[in-house]
Amino acid sequence: MPDFTRRGFIAASLAAGTVRAIPAIATRTGGRRILTLVYDKSLGMMRAVERLVP
């Protein structure tokens, strides 16, 4: 078990709460997700771009 300071414990607790809350928020927004593949010249490869459309 790691030896947490009070500040480290609070930060870890907030991070864990955020990870649990984000999927619930994402599913509540409604609308559709559109995934588009675009060619990025700077990377020299394809990358995915995701948009939310109400």
Side-chain angles (χ1 to χ4, degrees):
M1 178 110 178
D3 193 22
F4 281 125
T5 61
R6 183 169 60 167
R7 183 177 289 173
F9 177 76
I10 291 171
S13 298
L14 288 175
T18 302
V19 167
R20 291 187 64 183
I22 285 183
I25 292 170
T27 57
R28 258 190 281 155
T29 57
R32 292 186 311 179
R33 292 175 183 258
I34 297 178
L35 185 66
T36 308
L37 291 175
V38 295
Y39 185 76
D40 192 341
K41 290 181 183 178
S42 63
L43 292 174
M45 56 190 259
M46 300 291 282
R47 68 182 178 97
V49 177
E50 186 176 17
R51 300 186 292 152
L52 282 176
V53 178

